[in-house]
Amino acid sequence: MRSDLYAELFKQYQSSLHLYLYRMCGSQETAEELVQETFYRAMVSMKAEHASYARAWLYKVARHLFIDWYRKYRGEIQMNREMEQQATENTYRSPEEVLTARERTLRIHQVMKKLPEQYRTILVLREMNELSYKELCEILDMNMNKVKVTLFRARERFKAEMLQMKGDV
């Protein structure tokens, strides 16, 4: 493939891939490394026929890299506090609103950490990165029915965990 195409792909998808990987691993540095590795692999092995579905292909590569990283560093993983800090950066909110947003963000992180990797992945890709069902099929190597069922179950599990956590407070 041509280098101008790689540059365009990087420009177009770098930030969304970084955000996806950050949401999955909770570390800016790790997300940056995984994004770099994703694009490196794209340069090495992406063929011209992949260009028509480059977004899905890149997310698929990023997902596999995350899974490999997660398996390797499972015992050392800790969610970063940066998302919590982002909730407090808005100076136009009252202290109560900032605290509420911070607590909600923390609860979401805690619930996401409890979910199985497959549920966490599909929720981040669909709800946060707004990928289409077709793209989810390609990235996750699932047929459309399996994607819909898995997404439904992931949403239900997320809701149940949030309610349980709310009840525990």
Side-chain angles (χ1 to χ4, degrees), residues 20-21 24-26 34 61-71 77 117 120-121:
Y20 161 67
L21 289 165
M24 293 301 291
C25 68
L34 293 174
V61 170
R63 176 178 177 262
H64 288 288
L65 287 170
F66 166 74
I67 290 169
D68 291 345
W69 172 84
Y70 182 77
R71 287 178 182 152
I77 296 173
E117 182 274 328
R120 187 172 57 240
T121 297

Side-chain angles (χ1 to χ4, degrees), residues 29-116:
E29 297 79 22
T30 301
E32 288 171 10
E33 290 174 19
L34 293 174
V35 166
Q36 288 175 4
E37 182 66 21
T38 299
F39 281 100
Y40 170 75
R41 290 192 182 185
M43 288 178 63
V44 170
S45 61
M46 192 173 186
K47 297 181 179 23
E49 60 267 16
H50 293 134
S52 63
Y53 56 94
R55 181 180 179 194
W57 192 86
L58 288 168
Y59 272 95
K60 187 175 189 174
V61 170
R63 176 178 177 262
H64 288 288
L65 287 170
F66 166 74
I67 290 169
D68 291 345
W69 172 84
Y70 182 77
R71 287 178 182 152
K72 185 175 181 182
Y73 296 104
R74 182 179 314 193
E76 301 171 24
I77 296 173
Q78 292 184 347
M79 293 300 281
N80 255 341
R81 302 273 185 224
E82 291 179 13
M83 294 277 292
E84 295 172 34
Q85 292 172 351
Q86 289 174 1
T88 62
E89 288 177 0
N90 189 343
T91 58
Y92 299 108
R93 293 195 259 174
S94 70
E96 293 83 14
E97 290 173 324
V98 169
L99 183 59
T100 301
R102 190 174 192 187
E103 289 172 351
R104 186 172 189 276
T105 300
L106 182 59
R107 278 197 315 271
I108 289 170
H109 280 298
Q110 290 171 337
V111 167
M112 291 296 281
K113 284 185 349 186
K114 288 182 179 181
L115 295 178

Side-chain angles (χ1 to χ4, degrees), residues 156-169:
E156 292 298 309
R157 178 86 172 264
F158 180 84
K159 288 176 196 174
E161 293 286 343
M162 284 295 282
L163 287 173
Q164 181 181 0
M165 185 174 281
K166 201 174 195 178
D168 291 344
V169 175

